[in-house]
mmCIF file of all heavy atoms in Angstrom:
data_model
loop_
_atom_site.group_PDB
_atom_site.id
_atom_site.type_symbol
_atom_site.label_atom_id
_atom_site.label_comp_id
_atom_site.label_asym_id
_atom_site.label_seq_id
_atom_site.Cartn_x
_atom_site.Cartn_y
_atom_site.Cartn_z
ATOM 1 N N LYS A 309 2.902 -0.562 13.243
ATOM 2 C CA LYS A 309 2.349 0.371 12.179
ATOM 3 C C LYS A 309 3.142 0.169 10.869
ATOM 4 O O LYS A 309 2.464 0.111 9.839
ATOM 5 C CB LYS A 309 2.472 1.829 12.683
ATOM 6 C CG LYS A 309 1.645 2.119 13.901
ATOM 7 C CD LYS A 309 1.502 3.619 14.204
ATOM 8 C CE LYS A 309 2.805 4.330 14.464
ATOM 9 N NZ LYS A 309 3.563 3.806 15.589
ATOM 10 N N GLN A 310 4.376 0.068 10.892
ATOM 11 C CA GLN A 310 5.095 -0.141 9.680
ATOM 12 C C GLN A 310 4.905 -1.571 9.161
ATOM 13 O O GLN A 310 5.002 -1.858 7.937
ATOM 14 C CB GLN A 310 6.649 0.123 9.795
ATOM 15 C CG GLN A 310 7.075 1.516 10.234
ATOM 16 C CD GLN A 310 6.003 2.661 10.097
ATOM 17 O OE1 GLN A 310 5.443 2.907 9.035
ATOM 18 N NE2 GLN A 310 5.762 3.342 11.212
ATOM 19 N N SER A 311 4.656 -2.517 10.016
ATOM 20 C CA SER A 311 4.366 -3.878 9.613
ATOM 21 C C SER A 311 3.014 -3.900 8.778
ATOM 22 O O SER A 311 2.977 -4.473 7.690
ATOM 23 C CB SER A 311 4.241 -4.804 10.836
ATOM 24 O OG SER A 311 3.978 -6.111 10.400
ATOM 25 N N MET A 312 2.039 -3.252 9.317
ATOM 26 C CA MET A 312 0.781 -3.115 8.638
ATOM 27 C C MET A 312 0.945 -2.404 7.291
ATOM 28 O O MET A 312 0.378 -2.847 6.277
ATOM 29 C CB MET A 312 -0.088 -2.136 9.495
ATOM 30 C CG MET A 312 -1.425 -2.454 9.824
ATOM 31 S SD MET A 312 -2.006 -1.410 11.232
ATOM 32 C CE MET A 312 -1.569 0.251 10.734
ATOM 33 N N LEU A 313 1.735 -1.400 7.287
ATOM 34 C CA LEU A 313 1.931 -0.593 6.099
ATOM 35 C C LEU A 313 2.758 -1.374 5.026
ATOM 36 O O LEU A 313 2.501 -1.259 3.846
ATOM 37 C CB LEU A 313 2.619 0.755 6.383
ATOM 38 C CG LEU A 313 2.663 1.823 5.321
ATOM 39 C CD1 LEU A 313 1.251 2.185 4.813
ATOM 40 C CD2 LEU A 313 3.354 3.039 5.822
ATOM 41 N N THR A 314 3.688 -2.195 5.534
ATOM 42 C CA THR A 314 4.472 -3.027 4.643
ATOM 43 C C THR A 314 3.549 -4.051 3.931
ATOM 44 O O THR A 314 3.573 -4.192 2.681
ATOM 45 C CB THR A 314 5.612 -3.792 5.332
ATOM 46 O OG1 THR A 314 6.428 -2.863 6.017
ATOM 47 C CG2 THR A 314 6.429 -4.562 4.374
ATOM 48 N N ARG A 315 2.586 -4.648 4.706
ATOM 49 C CA ARG A 315 1.659 -5.524 4.090
ATOM 50 C C ARG A 315 0.722 -4.821 3.061
ATOM 51 O O ARG A 315 0.488 -5.252 2.020
ATOM 52 C CB ARG A 315 0.806 -6.151 5.176
ATOM 53 C CG ARG A 315 -0.450 -6.919 4.715
ATOM 54 C CD ARG A 315 -0.130 -8.157 3.939
ATOM 55 N NE ARG A 315 -1.344 -8.735 3.355
ATOM 56 C CZ ARG A 315 -1.391 -9.880 2.739
ATOM 57 N NH1 ARG A 315 -0.247 -10.599 2.530
ATOM 58 N NH2 ARG A 315 -2.526 -10.345 2.298
ATOM 59 N N ALA A 316 0.278 -3.593 3.462
ATOM 60 C CA ALA A 316 -0.574 -2.843 2.503
ATOM 61 C C ALA A 316 0.179 -2.578 1.230
ATOM 62 O O ALA A 316 -0.388 -2.725 0.155
ATOM 63 C CB ALA A 316 -1.012 -1.506 3.152
ATOM 64 N N ALA A 317 1.458 -2.196 1.346
ATOM 65 C CA ALA A 317 2.222 -1.920 0.168
ATOM 66 C C ALA A 317 2.498 -3.200 -0.678
ATOM 67 O O ALA A 317 2.481 -3.205 -1.878
ATOM 68 C CB ALA A 317 3.612 -1.281 0.544
ATOM 69 N N LYS A 318 2.634 -4.328 -0.003
ATOM 70 C CA LYS A 318 2.784 -5.619 -0.710
ATOM 71 C C LYS A 318 1.592 -5.948 -1.527
ATOM 72 O O LYS A 318 1.620 -6.426 -2.640
ATOM 73 C CB LYS A 318 3.052 -6.782 0.323
ATOM 74 C CG LYS A 318 4.347 -6.740 1.005
ATOM 75 C CD LYS A 318 5.485 -7.402 0.189
ATOM 76 C CE LYS A 318 6.798 -7.395 0.890
ATOM 77 N NZ LYS A 318 7.938 -7.727 0.029
ATOM 78 N N VAL A 319 0.361 -5.675 -0.963
ATOM 79 C CA VAL A 319 -0.868 -5.942 -1.669
ATOM 80 C C VAL A 319 -0.961 -4.939 -2.863
ATOM 81 O O VAL A 319 -1.225 -5.328 -3.973
ATOM 82 C CB VAL A 319 -2.122 -5.758 -0.766
ATOM 83 C CG1 VAL A 319 -3.381 -5.809 -1.579
ATOM 84 C CG2 VAL A 319 -2.091 -6.821 0.305
ATOM 85 N N MET A 320 -0.670 -3.650 -2.665
ATOM 86 C CA MET A 320 -0.726 -2.663 -3.748
ATOM 87 C C MET A 320 0.224 -3.015 -4.858
ATOM 88 O O MET A 320 -0.027 -2.787 -6.024
ATOM 89 C CB MET A 320 -0.455 -1.266 -3.212
ATOM 90 C CG MET A 320 -1.520 -0.719 -2.275
ATOM 91 S SD MET A 320 -1.429 1.038 -1.942
ATOM 92 C CE MET A 320 -0.124 1.098 -0.714
ATOM 93 N N ALA A 321 1.397 -3.617 -4.506
ATOM 94 C CA ALA A 321 2.449 -3.833 -5.510
ATOM 95 C C ALA A 321 2.333 -5.262 -6.152
ATOM 96 O O ALA A 321 3.194 -5.562 -6.993
ATOM 97 C CB ALA A 321 3.815 -3.701 -4.820
ATOM 98 N N ALA A 322 1.327 -5.959 -5.803
ATOM 99 C CA ALA A 322 1.226 -7.367 -6.303
ATOM 100 C C ALA A 322 1.338 -7.407 -7.816
ATOM 101 O O ALA A 322 0.590 -6.711 -8.519
ATOM 102 C CB ALA A 322 -0.086 -8.045 -5.812
ATOM 103 N N GLY A 323 2.282 -8.222 -8.362
ATOM 104 C CA GLY A 323 2.465 -8.327 -9.836
ATOM 105 C C GLY A 323 3.169 -7.251 -10.507
ATOM 106 O O GLY A 323 3.408 -7.286 -11.709
ATOM 107 N N LEU A 324 3.552 -6.144 -9.772
ATOM 108 C CA LEU A 324 4.229 -5.031 -10.430
ATOM 109 C C LEU A 324 5.758 -5.267 -10.279
ATOM 110 O O LEU A 324 6.217 -5.836 -9.340
ATOM 111 C CB LEU A 324 3.857 -3.733 -9.691
ATOM 112 C CG LEU A 324 2.429 -3.240 -9.772
ATOM 113 C CD1 LEU A 324 2.208 -1.961 -9.025
ATOM 114 C CD2 LEU A 324 1.999 -3.070 -11.265
ATOM 115 N N PRO A 325 6.531 -4.681 -11.262
ATOM 116 C CA PRO A 325 7.986 -4.809 -11.099
ATOM 117 C C PRO A 325 8.495 -3.916 -9.961
ATOM 118 O O PRO A 325 7.835 -2.906 -9.643
ATOM 119 C CB PRO A 325 8.515 -4.307 -12.457
ATOM 120 C CG PRO A 325 7.381 -3.456 -13.074
ATOM 121 C CD PRO A 325 6.105 -4.066 -12.498
ATOM 122 N N GLY A 326 9.652 -4.257 -9.403
ATOM 123 C CA GLY A 326 10.109 -3.533 -8.215
ATOM 124 C C GLY A 326 9.691 -4.277 -7.013
ATOM 125 O O GLY A 326 8.893 -5.177 -7.044
ATOM 126 N N GLY A 327 10.197 -3.843 -5.864
ATOM 127 C CA GLY A 327 9.815 -4.576 -4.670
ATOM 128 C C GLY A 327 9.349 -3.680 -3.510
ATOM 129 O O GLY A 327 9.196 -2.487 -3.701
ATOM 130 N N VAL A 328 9.126 -4.279 -2.379
ATOM 131 C CA VAL A 328 8.644 -3.597 -1.171
ATOM 132 C C VAL A 328 9.349 -4.154 0.032
ATOM 133 O O VAL A 328 9.445 -5.379 0.139
ATOM 134 C CB VAL A 328 7.135 -3.782 -0.997
ATOM 135 C CG1 VAL A 328 6.727 -3.306 0.380
ATOM 136 C CG2 VAL A 328 6.338 -3.098 -2.070
ATOM 137 N N SER A 329 9.877 -3.299 0.872
ATOM 138 C CA SER A 329 10.523 -3.804 2.062
ATOM 139 C C SER A 329 10.393 -2.931 3.257
ATOM 140 O O SER A 329 10.223 -1.721 3.115
ATOM 141 C CB SER A 329 12.034 -3.962 1.804
ATOM 142 O OG SER A 329 12.692 -4.417 2.973
ATOM 143 N N PHE A 330 10.411 -3.450 4.451
ATOM 144 C CA PHE A 330 10.666 -2.732 5.660
ATOM 145 C C PHE A 330 12.022 -2.092 5.567
ATOM 146 O O PHE A 330 12.956 -2.653 4.994
ATOM 147 C CB PHE A 330 10.627 -3.734 6.801
ATOM 148 C CG PHE A 330 10.925 -3.086 8.218
ATOM 149 C CD1 PHE A 330 10.024 -2.239 8.804
ATOM 150 C CD2 PHE A 330 12.109 -3.351 8.814
ATOM 151 C CE1 PHE A 330 10.329 -1.692 10.057
ATOM 152 C CE2 PHE A 330 12.427 -2.793 10.063
ATOM 153 C CZ PHE A 330 11.520 -2.003 10.647
ATOM 154 N N MET A 331 12.214 -0.871 6.054
ATOM 155 C CA MET A 331 13.482 -0.170 5.887
ATOM 156 C C MET A 331 13.712 0.763 7.109
ATOM 157 O O MET A 331 12.842 1.065 7.851
ATOM 158 C CB MET A 331 13.391 0.679 4.608
ATOM 159 C CG MET A 331 14.696 1.347 4.158
ATOM 160 S SD MET A 331 16.129 0.285 3.998
ATOM 161 C CE MET A 331 15.690 -0.637 2.456
ATOM 162 N N GLU A 332 14.989 1.128 7.220
ATOM 163 C CA GLU A 332 15.380 2.139 8.273
ATOM 164 C C GLU A 332 16.491 2.946 7.800
ATOM 165 O O GLU A 332 17.433 2.531 7.221
ATOM 166 C CB GLU A 332 15.821 1.312 9.525
ATOM 167 C CG GLU A 332 16.280 2.195 10.662
ATOM 168 C CD GLU A 332 16.416 1.453 12.013
ATOM 169 O OE1 GLU A 332 15.506 0.683 12.295
ATOM 170 O OE2 GLU A 332 17.383 1.716 12.712
ATOM 171 N N ASP A 333 16.341 4.289 8.054
ATOM 172 C CA ASP A 333 17.380 5.226 7.735
ATOM 173 C C ASP A 333 18.557 4.876 8.686
ATOM 174 O O ASP A 333 18.341 4.889 9.926
ATOM 175 C CB ASP A 333 16.972 6.678 8.002
ATOM 176 C CG ASP A 333 15.803 7.090 7.063
ATOM 177 O OD1 ASP A 333 14.674 6.776 7.345
ATOM 178 O OD2 ASP A 333 16.147 7.652 5.997
ATOM 179 N N TYR A 334 19.772 4.674 8.172
ATOM 180 C CA TYR A 334 20.818 4.294 9.044
ATOM 181 C C TYR A 334 21.862 5.400 9.203
ATOM 182 O O TYR A 334 22.147 5.918 10.255
ATOM 183 C CB TYR A 334 21.437 2.974 8.593
ATOM 184 C CG TYR A 334 21.220 1.907 9.663
ATOM 185 C CD1 TYR A 334 20.176 1.008 9.664
ATOM 186 C CD2 TYR A 334 22.110 1.856 10.809
ATOM 187 C CE1 TYR A 334 19.957 0.141 10.690
ATOM 188 C CE2 TYR A 334 21.905 0.939 11.807
ATOM 189 C CZ TYR A 334 20.826 0.069 11.766
ATOM 190 O OH TYR A 334 20.660 -0.779 12.755
ATOM 191 N N THR A 335 22.507 5.716 8.043
ATOM 192 C CA THR A 335 23.653 6.626 8.183
ATOM 193 C C THR A 335 23.762 7.482 6.891
ATOM 194 O O THR A 335 23.246 7.077 5.852
ATOM 195 C CB THR A 335 24.911 5.821 8.501
ATOM 196 O OG1 THR A 335 25.841 6.601 9.206
ATOM 197 C CG2 THR A 335 25.556 5.196 7.300
ATOM 198 N N TYR A 336 24.421 8.643 7.032
ATOM 199 C CA TYR A 336 24.453 9.592 5.917
ATOM 200 C C TYR A 336 25.866 9.670 5.230
ATOM 201 O O TYR A 336 26.866 9.463 5.930
ATOM 202 C CB TYR A 336 24.099 10.967 6.366
ATOM 203 C CG TYR A 336 22.690 11.202 6.808
ATOM 204 C CD1 TYR A 336 22.385 11.954 7.910
ATOM 205 C CD2 TYR A 336 21.621 10.696 6.056
ATOM 206 C CE1 TYR A 336 21.061 12.171 8.370
ATOM 207 C CE2 TYR A 336 20.305 10.943 6.452
ATOM 208 C CZ TYR A 336 20.024 11.632 7.607
ATOM 209 O OH TYR A 336 18.736 11.878 8.018
ATOM 210 N N HIS A 337 25.849 10.062 4.023
ATOM 211 C CA HIS A 337 27.106 10.437 3.281
ATOM 212 C C HIS A 337 26.947 11.906 2.929
ATOM 213 O O HIS A 337 26.058 12.261 2.115
ATOM 214 C CB HIS A 337 27.253 9.575 2.006
ATOM 215 C CG HIS A 337 28.510 9.746 1.356
ATOM 216 N ND1 HIS A 337 29.746 9.311 1.904
ATOM 217 C CD2 HIS A 337 28.875 10.315 0.139
ATOM 218 C CE1 HIS A 337 30.716 9.635 1.082
ATOM 219 N NE2 HIS A 337 30.222 10.211 -0.033
ATOM 220 N N PHE A 338 27.776 12.764 3.555
ATOM 221 C CA PHE A 338 27.612 14.244 3.305
ATOM 222 C C PHE A 338 28.656 14.822 2.361
ATOM 223 O O PHE A 338 28.848 16.028 2.347
ATOM 224 C CB PHE A 338 27.724 14.951 4.699
ATOM 225 C CG PHE A 338 26.428 15.050 5.412
ATOM 226 C CD1 PHE A 338 26.270 14.603 6.737
ATOM 227 C CD2 PHE A 338 25.319 15.511 4.838
ATOM 228 C CE1 PHE A 338 25.121 14.681 7.429
ATOM 229 C CE2 PHE A 338 24.063 15.677 5.520
ATOM 230 C CZ PHE A 338 23.952 15.228 6.867
ATOM 231 N N GLU A 339 29.350 13.995 1.592
ATOM 232 C CA GLU A 339 30.281 14.487 0.651
ATOM 233 C C GLU A 339 29.618 15.481 -0.314
ATOM 234 O O GLU A 339 28.578 15.081 -0.963
ATOM 235 C CB GLU A 339 30.946 13.346 -0.132
ATOM 236 C CG GLU A 339 32.061 13.746 -1.090
ATOM 237 C CD GLU A 339 32.508 12.616 -1.930
ATOM 238 O OE1 GLU A 339 32.210 11.425 -1.704
ATOM 239 O OE2 GLU A 339 33.145 12.875 -2.993
ATOM 240 N N PRO A 340 30.136 16.706 -0.482
ATOM 241 C CA PRO A 340 29.417 17.645 -1.327
ATOM 242 C C PRO A 340 29.188 17.094 -2.754
ATOM 243 O O PRO A 340 30.066 16.552 -3.375
ATOM 244 C CB PRO A 340 30.371 18.848 -1.359
ATOM 245 C CG PRO A 340 31.185 18.746 -0.097
ATOM 246 C CD PRO A 340 31.311 17.263 0.134
ATOM 247 N N GLY A 341 27.929 17.282 -3.189
ATOM 248 C CA GLY A 341 27.564 16.777 -4.538
ATOM 249 C C GLY A 341 27.166 15.347 -4.589
ATOM 250 O O GLY A 341 26.612 14.893 -5.550
ATOM 251 N N LYS A 342 27.510 14.585 -3.558
ATOM 252 C CA LYS A 342 27.248 13.121 -3.587
ATOM 253 C C LYS A 342 26.424 12.742 -2.319
ATOM 254 O O LYS A 342 26.464 11.600 -1.915
ATOM 255 C CB LYS A 342 28.506 12.321 -3.607
ATOM 256 C CG LYS A 342 29.281 12.461 -4.929
ATOM 257 C CD LYS A 342 30.420 11.464 -4.987
ATOM 258 C CE LYS A 342 31.022 11.430 -6.357
ATOM 259 N NZ LYS A 342 32.210 10.509 -6.462
ATOM 260 N N GLU A 343 25.670 13.691 -1.787
ATOM 261 C CA GLU A 343 24.964 13.440 -0.551
ATOM 262 C C GLU A 343 23.957 12.279 -0.735
ATOM 263 O O GLU A 343 23.232 12.268 -1.761
ATOM 264 C CB GLU A 343 24.156 14.685 -0.163
ATOM 265 C CG GLU A 343 25.029 15.893 0.267
ATOM 266 C CD GLU A 343 25.382 16.802 -0.937
ATOM 267 O OE1 GLU A 343 25.139 16.405 -2.083
ATOM 268 O OE2 GLU A 343 25.813 17.933 -0.657
ATOM 269 N N ALA A 344 23.891 11.408 0.211
ATOM 270 C CA ALA A 344 23.027 10.239 0.095
ATOM 271 C C ALA A 344 22.756 9.709 1.490
ATOM 272 O O ALA A 344 23.490 9.956 2.406
ATOM 273 C CB ALA A 344 23.634 9.177 -0.841
ATOM 274 N N ALA A 345 21.732 8.873 1.572
ATOM 275 C CA ALA A 345 21.418 8.165 2.829
ATOM 276 C C ALA A 345 21.532 6.662 2.613
ATOM 277 O O ALA A 345 21.184 6.153 1.565
ATOM 278 C CB ALA A 345 20.014 8.487 3.245
ATOM 279 N N LEU A 346 22.127 6.043 3.627
ATOM 280 C CA LEU A 346 22.208 4.556 3.553
ATOM 281 C C LEU A 346 21.165 3.972 4.419
ATOM 282 O O LEU A 346 21.131 4.215 5.636
ATOM 283 C CB LEU A 346 23.677 4.121 4.031
ATOM 284 C CG LEU A 346 23.930 2.642 3.852
ATOM 285 C CD1 LEU A 346 24.038 2.231 2.452
ATOM 286 C CD2 LEU A 346 25.207 2.277 4.636
ATOM 287 N N GLY A 347 20.259 3.184 3.804
ATOM 288 C CA GLY A 347 19.237 2.553 4.556
ATOM 289 C C GLY A 347 19.569 1.067 4.692
ATOM 290 O O GLY A 347 20.122 0.445 3.786
ATOM 291 N N ALA A 348 19.124 0.472 5.804
ATOM 292 C CA ALA A 348 19.376 -0.963 6.051
ATOM 293 C C ALA A 348 18.547 -1.360 7.257
ATOM 294 O O ALA A 348 17.693 -0.619 7.727
ATOM 295 C CB ALA A 348 20.859 -1.212 6.312
ATOM 296 N N HIS A 349 18.777 -2.481 7.843
ATOM 297 C CA HIS A 349 18.318 -2.818 9.174
ATOM 298 C C HIS A 349 19.270 -3.784 9.793
ATOM 299 O O HIS A 349 20.245 -4.213 9.167
ATOM 300 C CB HIS A 349 16.843 -3.333 9.192
ATOM 301 C CG HIS A 349 16.200 -3.099 10.483
ATOM 302 N ND1 HIS A 349 16.065 -4.033 11.426
ATOM 303 C CD2 HIS A 349 15.710 -1.926 11.010
ATOM 304 C CE1 HIS A 349 15.484 -3.477 12.502
ATOM 305 N NE2 HIS A 349 15.264 -2.254 12.288
ATOM 306 N N MET A 350 19.037 -4.224 11.030
ATOM 307 C CA MET A 350 19.960 -5.147 11.605
ATOM 308 C C MET A 350 20.116 -6.353 10.700
ATOM 309 O O MET A 350 21.168 -6.813 10.415
ATOM 310 C CB MET A 350 19.492 -5.552 12.992
ATOM 311 C CG MET A 350 19.720 -4.493 14.052
ATOM 312 S SD MET A 350 19.417 -5.132 15.715
ATOM 313 C CE MET A 350 17.692 -5.234 15.748
ATOM 314 N N LEU A 351 18.925 -6.846 10.199
ATOM 315 C CA LEU A 351 18.927 -8.043 9.311
ATOM 316 C C LEU A 351 17.811 -7.979 8.283
ATOM 317 O O LEU A 351 17.928 -8.483 7.190
ATOM 318 C CB LEU A 351 18.745 -9.326 10.113
ATOM 319 C CG LEU A 351 19.680 -9.639 11.285
ATOM 320 C CD1 LEU A 351 19.125 -10.773 12.106
ATOM 321 C CD2 LEU A 351 21.068 -9.968 10.763
ATOM 322 N N GLU A 352 16.701 -7.354 8.679
ATOM 323 C CA GLU A 352 15.391 -7.676 8.050
ATOM 324 C C GLU A 352 15.078 -6.719 6.880
ATOM 325 O O GLU A 352 14.257 -5.803 7.058
ATOM 326 C CB GLU A 352 14.286 -7.656 9.080
ATOM 327 C CG GLU A 352 14.601 -8.389 10.358
ATOM 328 C CD GLU A 352 15.228 -7.502 11.468
ATOM 329 O OE1 GLU A 352 15.910 -6.534 11.052
ATOM 330 O OE2 GLU A 352 15.021 -7.755 12.629
ATOM 331 N N VAL A 353 15.710 -6.941 5.741
ATOM 332 C CA VAL A 353 15.333 -6.189 4.546
ATOM 333 C C VAL A 353 14.945 -7.248 3.494
ATOM 334 O O VAL A 353 15.515 -8.246 3.301
ATOM 335 C CB VAL A 353 16.533 -5.354 4.039
ATOM 336 C CG1 VAL A 353 16.210 -4.619 2.709
ATOM 337 C CG2 VAL A 353 16.964 -4.379 5.094
ATOM 338 N N CYS A 354 13.792 -6.897 2.810
ATOM 339 C CA CYS A 354 13.225 -7.905 1.855
ATOM 340 C C CYS A 354 14.001 -8.022 0.550
ATOM 341 O O CYS A 354 14.260 -6.988 -0.088
ATOM 342 C CB CYS A 354 11.802 -7.487 1.568
ATOM 343 S SG CYS A 354 10.975 -8.636 0.380
ATOM 344 N N PRO A 355 14.272 -9.251 0.136
ATOM 345 C CA PRO A 355 15.030 -9.465 -1.118
ATOM 346 C C PRO A 355 14.288 -9.052 -2.401
ATOM 347 O O PRO A 355 14.857 -9.074 -3.466
ATOM 348 C CB PRO A 355 15.373 -10.944 -1.099
ATOM 349 C CG PRO A 355 14.367 -11.612 -0.190
ATOM 350 C CD PRO A 355 14.014 -10.508 0.803
ATOM 351 N N SER A 356 12.947 -8.723 -2.258
ATOM 352 C CA SER A 356 12.261 -8.251 -3.458
ATOM 353 C C SER A 356 12.876 -6.972 -4.037
ATOM 354 O O SER A 356 12.588 -6.657 -5.234
ATOM 355 C CB SER A 356 10.786 -8.068 -3.162
ATOM 356 O OG SER A 356 10.593 -7.001 -2.238
ATOM 357 N N ILE A 357 13.622 -6.217 -3.226
ATOM 358 C CA ILE A 357 14.214 -5.003 -3.745
ATOM 359 C C ILE A 357 15.671 -5.183 -4.175
ATOM 360 O O ILE A 357 16.318 -4.249 -4.552
ATOM 361 C CB ILE A 357 14.105 -3.856 -2.661
ATOM 362 C CG1 ILE A 357 15.060 -4.149 -1.463
ATOM 363 C CG2 ILE A 357 12.748 -3.662 -2.223
ATOM 364 C CD1 ILE A 357 15.214 -2.933 -0.544
ATOM 365 N N ALA A 358 16.163 -6.422 -4.196
ATOM 366 C CA ALA A 358 17.568 -6.706 -4.444
ATOM 367 C C ALA A 358 17.988 -6.478 -5.892
ATOM 368 O O ALA A 358 17.122 -6.643 -6.816
ATOM 369 C CB ALA A 358 17.898 -8.083 -4.058
ATOM 370 N N ASP A 359 19.210 -6.048 -6.132
ATOM 371 C CA ASP A 359 19.778 -5.969 -7.416
ATOM 372 C C ASP A 359 20.634 -7.229 -7.567
ATOM 373 O O ASP A 359 21.635 -7.388 -6.953
ATOM 374 C CB ASP A 359 20.727 -4.687 -7.425
ATOM 375 C CG ASP A 359 21.126 -4.340 -8.844
ATOM 376 O OD1 ASP A 359 20.574 -4.925 -9.807
ATOM 377 O OD2 ASP A 359 22.011 -3.458 -8.983
ATOM 378 N N GLY A 360 20.142 -8.150 -8.347
ATOM 379 C CA GLY A 360 20.889 -9.416 -8.503
ATOM 380 C C GLY A 360 20.524 -10.450 -7.403
ATOM 381 O O GLY A 360 19.503 -10.276 -6.744
#
Side-chain angles (χ1 to χ4, degrees):
K309 296 192 299 301
Q310 302 341 307
S311 179
M312 227 165 48
L313 192 57
T314 305
R315 167 68 185 186
K318 290 277 183 192
V319 174
M320 291 194 282
L324 297 178
V328 169
S329 179
F330 176 73
M331 185 56 72
E332 178 165 317
D333 296 86
Y334 244 94
T335 207
Y336 292 138
H337 187 68
F338 274 128
E339 182 187 349
K342 292 189 171 178
E343 294 89 348
L346 184 68
H349 204 260
M350 285 191 287
L351 305 168
E352 314 92 329
V353 177
C354 178
S356 65
I357 67 168
D359 194 8

